[in-house]
Amino acid sequence: MATGTGTIAFLGLGHMGLPMAKNLVAAGHAVKAFDVVPAALEAAATAGIPTVDSANEAVADASVVLTMFPGGQQLLDAYRGVDGPGLLAVVRPDTLFLDCSTINVDDAREAARLAVEAGHRSVDAPVSGGVVGAEAGTLTFMIGALPEDLESVRPLLEIMGGKLVHCGDHGAGQAAKVCNNMILGVSMIAASEAFVLGEKLGLTHQALYDVVSTASGQCWAVTTNCPVPGPVPTSPANRDYQPGFAGALMAKDLGLALKAIESTGVAAELGPMAAAMYERFRDEGGAGRDFSGIITDIRDRSNGAH
Ligand code: NAD
């Protein structure tokens, strides 16, 4: 296995990266972790994760370089280098680059191309499951990789995740993630509009839920993350839309969907509309609220508040 001969360089110790790195350390792996933000580095050290002072130090004797960054630009900058040689130039030959960030499909393919061109291997493995899944080691990984490269990192992914889906070659993991989240964004808006329409038509939330949850409108946005309080006690609507899955992240993921729609020329209409609605939601106070909070925006507009 790829990790048998070297350490795991873990770069990006934010909300997701820190608990993922913690699980690798707890399972007995030799990890060298780094984040550009000193507070994140300190938090990781406090959590018992071995940290180092630079990315180059982290990757020096690594067989796997795992990244968990905000976006594709950070990844490509780190691979190529900005003020000096990038990661691809300073690692040992045949290092496996495992990117778990959610990024543009085109950026993921470019990152893989650069890695392979430099004599390395590449796996894109974005996740779903959020911070709770990262802490519990139950993330779902959507994987784009050559089969043999996936096998190399499978033991690591199985520590951090509960489900692995091999979606195809380089970039296929990001492609699956962006398609799934486009369905989620659109279906949450549809569910929210339907609940507000139900309110206007005099339906109780419970009555509409009882019908939709067992009829053809059934979907995760209704049965698990129901945008109104009451019917699903664990949904964020019951705690004033504390996330959950924050509006800023949904806006980001729909922005990635939009880029993919543009670059492929798909005649999608709902995806771009959902992207615009979540961008507005993020900019008007929804960034840190659960994405199901978009129902309050739709209700306010229905009542002439905007
Ligand atoms: P975050 O912003 O909390 O963490 C990202 C970390 O990467 C930051 O600490 C940042 O300082 C660090 N970083 C950036 N550039 C770096 C570099 N060159 N070297 C080292 N560190 C660097 O983000 P997050 O919530 O942990 O999410 C990480 C990724 O996972 C994102 O792409 C996000 O879209 C995706 N994701 C997040 C969630 C979630 O619920 N938070 C769920 C699924 C997927």
Side-chain angles (χ1 to χ4, degrees), residues 11-17 34-37 40 68-71 74 78 100-102 127-128 130-131 177 245 249 252-253:
L11 308 178
L13 301 163
H15 293 98
M16 298 291 287
F34 176 69
D35 193 293
V36 285
V37 172
M68 197 52 173
F69 289 168
Q74 289 87 354
C100 298
S101 328
T102 302
V127 303
S128 76
V131 175
K177 165 99 184 167
F245 186 54
L249 287 174
K252 174 196 162 179
D253 288 358

Side-chain angles (χ1 to χ4, degrees), residues 28 37 45 47 68 90 123 126 145 156 161 199 218 230 245 256:
V37 172
M68 197 52 173
V90 301
V123 174
L156 301 183
E199 289 167 8
Q218 191 269 340
F245 186 54
L256 297 177

Side-chain angles (χ1 to χ4, degrees), residues 18-41:
L18 188 152
M20 290 165 70
K22 199 173 163 186
N23 284 334
L24 292 176
V25 172
H29 283 285
V31 171
K32 285 188 182 173
F34 176 69
D35 193 293
V36 285
V37 172
L41 205 54

